[in-house]
Amino acid sequence: MSGKLSSKTAIITGSSRGIGRAVALAFAREGAALIGVHYGSNADAAHATVREIEALGAKAVAIKADLNRGKEATDSIWEQFKAAAIAATGEPRLDILVNNAGIAPGIPLSETSEATFDEVLRVNFKAPFFLIQGRCRSSPRQWTNYQRFDWLYACGRANASRVRRIEGCR
């Protein structure tokens, strides 16, 4: 452990499994003070990840929120994390936000319904936007890079690989 993230706090969406889990464990190995392990439905996986993080010496909290619920979900994430951050560090501070959660329905473009399309937009674009917005509102001086339309570029760029993976009409 190099301690690169010593005393830093982080939320990682979709971190109960897969890439998000790997990022959360890497942050713990680097000395993060608190890691918010976000999950949508698999509480067992989230709590297992929290235990692994704590075994590495970092503090962690499981944060449940269905990103398909948009701003309601992101507000819930912030409230849960703020309470945990105050308990762990004495202040409601967030240093690192990793918008990792996302969905990519495994269906051909020609069979994609409007409801499926809307769900992809809510989870992959709307939720990350409102998480970034919530962070900017809580500490505007620290997060000055997200001005004007930079948020659209940030959300779009982060999710472009998901869009590229969707196969065309079959």
Side-chain angles (χ1 to χ4, degrees):
M1 176 175 18
S2 69
K4 290 179 186 177
L5 300 178
S6 178
S7 78
K8 301 291 183 186
T9 62
I11 295 174
I12 305 159
T13 63
S15 54
S16 64
R17 58 190 181 89
I19 294 170
R21 178 181 166 277
V23 171
L25 293 172
F27 280 22
R29 286 186 200 97
E30 292 298 332
L34 175 66
I35 300 168
V37 176
H38 163 261
Y39 69 101
S41 60
N42 192 337
D44 291 340
H47 292 291
T49 301
V50 166
R51 285 190 298 274
E52 289 181 70
I53 290 167
E54 291 174 340
L56 293 168
K59 293 180 182 173
V61 60
I63 299 175
K64 179 177 177 42
D66 177 1
L67 295 182
N68 198 29
R69 299 182 64 93
K71 189 168 183 330
E72 177 184 327
T74 62
D75 288 348
S76 175
I77 289 170
W78 282 118
E79 291 307 312
Q80 292 175 69
F81 186 79
K82 282 193 322 191
I86 290 169
T89 68
E91 57 185 314
R93 188 183 86 245
L94 175 71
D95 299 301
I96 303 165
L97 171 61
V98 179
N99 278 313
N100 168 72
I103 59 172
I107 56 176
L109 181 64
S110 61
E111 296 174 21
T112 301
S113 68
E114 185 174 359
T116 298
F117 182 78
D118 289 344
E119 180 182 20
V120 169
L121 290 180
R122 279 191 304 274
V123 172
N124 294 356
F125 292 93
K126 189 175 184 178
F129 169 79
F130 282 110
L131 279 169
I132 293 167
Q133 182 190 65
R135 179 59 187 95
C136 291
R137 284 184 175 165
S138 69
S139 183
R141 287 189 181 151
Q142 188 179 5
W143 288 63
T144 57
N145 290 337
Y146 288 102
Q147 297 176 15
R148 289 173 267 137
F149 291 103
D150 292 348
W151 60 266
L152 181 58
Y153 174 78
C155 290
R157 178 93 174 146
N159 288 292
S161 65
R162 286 187 179 88
V163 173
R164 284 194 302 265
R165 286 190 308 217
I166 296 173
E167 296 182 24
C169 299
R170 292 187 209 184

